Amino acid sequence: MTGFTVDPWDPGYAAALAVEALSELGTTSAELALDVECPPADWKPVTPGPDAEAPGTLLVADGVRRIDARVWVHDPDAPMPVPGIAASYAAGIVRCGKEGADLAAIEVNRTFISASPYTPEVKTTHATYQPSKAADSSFEELSLALQRQVTQLEVDLAVRHRSQDDDLLLVDGPLRGRTHLPRTVGYIKTHHTAYLPAPQSAVVAALTPGQRTPVFLMGTSWRRHAWYVRLPVQSTAPWAGIARCEASADLDPAAVVRLADALTLALPPLAGVDYKDPRAPQNLVPIGGLEKLLRHHLGDARLLYRALRTVALS
């Protein structure tokens, strides 16, 4: 087995750089089509009409990840060891319906990622890390390679647990890597970029709880339908309680409008509450509960770190 060394630095160091931010870099130049649902001059807050219906079943998918150790893979073809990461990740599905919410699935995986073709499978006393190859040795690429595995696990679970034609799948975060899934919406809680021009941005600020903006199309190398929705919130700040939703650019405009209305009806009852969650209301109750459960299933980080060091020194 190819050898490796565990870096002594805390694996959480410098990990505050969000993968979402890495993946969304450069989107400030996104092209916009504001006339998907109505002319730009006619933009105003949209309240779903009497014909709109919430989905019979809302599936909420989320994933979490943790770097258990930074490592160095001993590559015989390289002049020096190749940097990598040993990581744990998990994904889960919560099924929300008229009778309440229940956990549909949870799955936990471990991965050992580097750019070396000699990246080994690592078996410890507590977990086995499967080898995976990154495009290069930069931390950004290692982190994105890990996120791609999280996304794929979410997709696999979603495909496995969708059984109804009237369900709707909500994935926490941008829709990238999941645009091919039917009746699927990406849910973005935080806003790093102001996509809309001032007149349409003012419509976002004017939304009341349970309202959304008209649907628009955005993107450059990627394209997605999108809209903003406001959840129940006490704050009067202009963008308090605002979330952005994304759907596939391949959908017919009328289908996207129906999807936007259905989700706008489904989200308010699931909104987080501020005395329980500092990210409320955007951090929906099923998402917050699922995240907590998934992190518990990742296991004890200190125990796994020690186990990795033991194998590396053996």
Side-chain angles (χ1 to χ4, degrees):
M1 183 182 77
T2 302
F4 71 98
T5 302
V6 174
D7 195 293
W9 281 24
D10 182 339
Y13 182 78
L17 180 60
V19 173
E20 288 77 11
L22 287 172
S23 302
E24 300 264 323
L25 286 176
T27 56
T28 52
S29 60
E31 298 175 4
L32 296 174
L34 301 174
D35 58 352
V36 172
E37 188 171 352
C38 64
D42 295 341
W43 266 47
K44 61 183 179 180
V46 176
T47 301
D51 294 335
E53 289 186 60
T57 302
L58 180 67
L59 296 175
V60 179
D62 197 9
V64 299
R65 36 172 277 163
R66 185 187 67 211
I67 296 175
D68 295 331
R70 294 174 186 268
V71 299
W72 296 91
V73 175
H74 302 164
D75 188 331
D77 296 334
M80 61 180 294
V82 177
I85 55 175
S88 298
Y89 63 96
I93 303 279
V94 173
R95 185 183 291 107
C96 304
K98 296 177 182 177
E99 312 255 328
D102 64 275
L103 182 65
I106 279 184
E107 190 168 321
V108 181
N109 288 340
R110 320 279 180 185
T111 184
F112 199 89
I113 306 172
S114 86
S116 170
Y118 298 95
T119 303
E121 176 186 71
V122 178
K123 294 182 178 180
T124 77
T125 53
H126 300 291
T128 297
Y129 291 78
Q130 298 298 329
S132 180
K133 195 169 184 301
D136 60 56
S137 294
S138 67
F139 177 72
E140 289 80 5
E141 178 53 40
L142 294 171
S143 186
L144 287 173
L146 172 57
Q147 186 59 33
R148 282 191 284 270
Q149 293 188 46
V150 178
T151 299
Q152 187 58 52
L153 181 56
E154 289 181 28
V155 169
D156 293 344
L157 288 179
V159 170
R160 212 178 302 158
H161 291 276
R162 298 189 80 169
S163 58
Q164 300 181 38
D165 292 335
D166 67 340
D167 69 2
L168 192 157
L169 175 63
L170 185 74
V171 296
D172 188 30
L175 198 58
R176 61 179 178 275
R178 294 164 287 204
T179 54
H180 62 290
L181 295 175
R183 305 182 308 284
T184 300
V185 174
Y187 179 76
I188 297 90
K189 301 186 287 286
T190 56
H191 311 285
H192 303 291
T193 304
Y195 291 101
L196 296 174
Q200 285 73 36
S201 185
V203 175
V204 179
L207 295 176
T208 59
Q211 289 186 320
R212 63 172 178 85
T213 66
V215 174
F216 59 99
L217 193 63
M218 66 177 187
T220 49
S221 58
W222 50 265
R223 297 172 71 246
R224 295 168 198 147
H225 284 107
W227 64 94
Y228 290 91
V229 60
R230 191 186 293 272
L231 301 173
V233 66
Q234 294 183 352
S235 172
T236 57
W239 280 59
I242 296 293
R244 188 176 88 246
C245 299
E246 295 182 346
S248 171
D250 296 331
L251 292 175
D252 176 82
V256 180
V257 169
R258 289 194 297 272
L259 197 60
D261 279 345
L263 197 61
T264 301
L265 291 173
L267 289 181
L270 304 177
V273 289
D274 54 10
Y275 65 87
K276 289 185 177 180
D277 190 335
R279 294 177 294 170
Q282 289 97 318
N283 202 42
L284 305 176
V285 171
I287 292 176
L290 183 56
E291 283 180 350
K292 185 176 180 180
L293 192 58
L294 290 174
R295 294 193 188 283
H296 174 73
H297 277 261
L298 291 183
D300 189 307
R302 293 170 297 180
L303 194 67
L304 290 167
Y305 177 77
R306 288 197 297 268
L308 284 162
R309 291 204 64 177
T310 298
V311 173
L313 294 171
S314 62

